[in-house]
Structures are given as structure tokens and as C-alpha cells.
Amino acid sequence: QVQLVESGGGLVQPGGSLRLSCAASGRIFSINVMGYYRQAPGKERELVARISSGGSANYADSVKGRFTISRDNAKNTVYLQMNSLKPEDTAVYYCNVRHRICGTCPWIDYWGQGTQVTVSS
């Protein structure tokens, strides 16, 4: 079993900042990609940002230049620093971890329960 502990969501005014974190623990042999997705009411879940074990990151066009994803491999933790937040960033943000439980086992995607981010004045 894998546990993902998410934190950092909340209410912030436009132009403000928030930092999300997601720590993975449990039966983990190795982690490949870690990332965040978001889902706004009435919309499909979309990729926000993801980062490989080697540190390569990619971002949705809508957040480039405002959000920064990073990870601490020793702590199995991923961080999403969100600056210059806009009302359209309001959504539930989900942590995603691609891991496996042994060296020859298949990769498995695991999702956190989500944390609400609301950007409003």
C-alpha cells in the first residue's frame, strides 16, 4: 500500500502564492514521475506540472512562468510553488505518483485525495 499525504491548499487572493506538497510513503521501491493535476468544476482533470526522477519538468501552458515543481527524492516528496495565482487556477489539485514496488514490477499510478485551491478576492 502507498500513502500520499497532501498539504498546502487553501484560499488566497489573486496575485498571491501557495505551496503544495505531497509526500509518498509505504510499499515503494522506486518512484518515476511525480506531478500535480487539477480539476475545476464542470471541467476535465488536466495536467498542471510533472517532474521526473532526474529533475526534468514540464508544465501546462497556462501555468508556465508562474508555477514551479520540484521534488526531494530522499523524502519521496513533490512540491508545487504557485505564484501570481489567478481565479482561473481555482480547482481541486491532485498529486500523482508513478511508482513500483520492486525492480521488475510494472509502474503504477497512484493518486492523492486532492486539495482545494481557491483564488478569490
Side-chain angles (χ1 to χ4, degrees):
Q1 278 285 37
V2 173
Q3 295 81 42
L4 296 181
V5 177
E6 300 183 71
S7 62
L11 173 65
V12 64
Q13 292 186 342
S17 298
L18 284 174
R19 188 191 194 211
L20 306 183
S21 65
C22 174
S25 63
R27 195 179 178 192
I28 297 171
F29 177 81
S30 64
I31 295 176
N32 186 351
V33 179
M34 304 181 83
Y36 278 95
Y37 291 70
R38 68 186 181 187
Q39 188 167 19
K43 295 188 176 181
E44 294 187 352
R45 190 174 297 189
E46 63 176 2
L47 172 69
V48 177
R50 59 189 176 193
I51 184 168
S52 71
S53 57
S56 296
N58 59 289
Y59 299 87
D61 288 342
S62 59
V63 307
K64 283 181 181 177
R66 300 188 297 121
F67 291 10
T68 302
I69 192 167
S70 61
R71 63 189 280 175
D72 184 334
N73 290 331
K75 296 181 179 180
N76 288 339
T77 300
V78 61
Y79 307 95
L80 185 68
Q81 178 66 43
M82 305 185 292
N83 299 329
S84 302
L85 282 160
K86 304 175 180 179
E88 50 264 43
D89 294 318
T90 296
V92 177
Y93 284 68
Y94 296 91
C95 175
N96 173 264
V97 172
R98 181 165 296 170
H99 78 285
R100 57 186 177 182
I101 60 173
C102 73
T104 57
C105 296
W107 294 102
I108 302 170
D109 277 321
Y110 201 82
W111 293 89
Q113 293 186 333
T115 186
Q116 177 70 45
V117 171
T118 302
V119 185
S120 175
S121 55

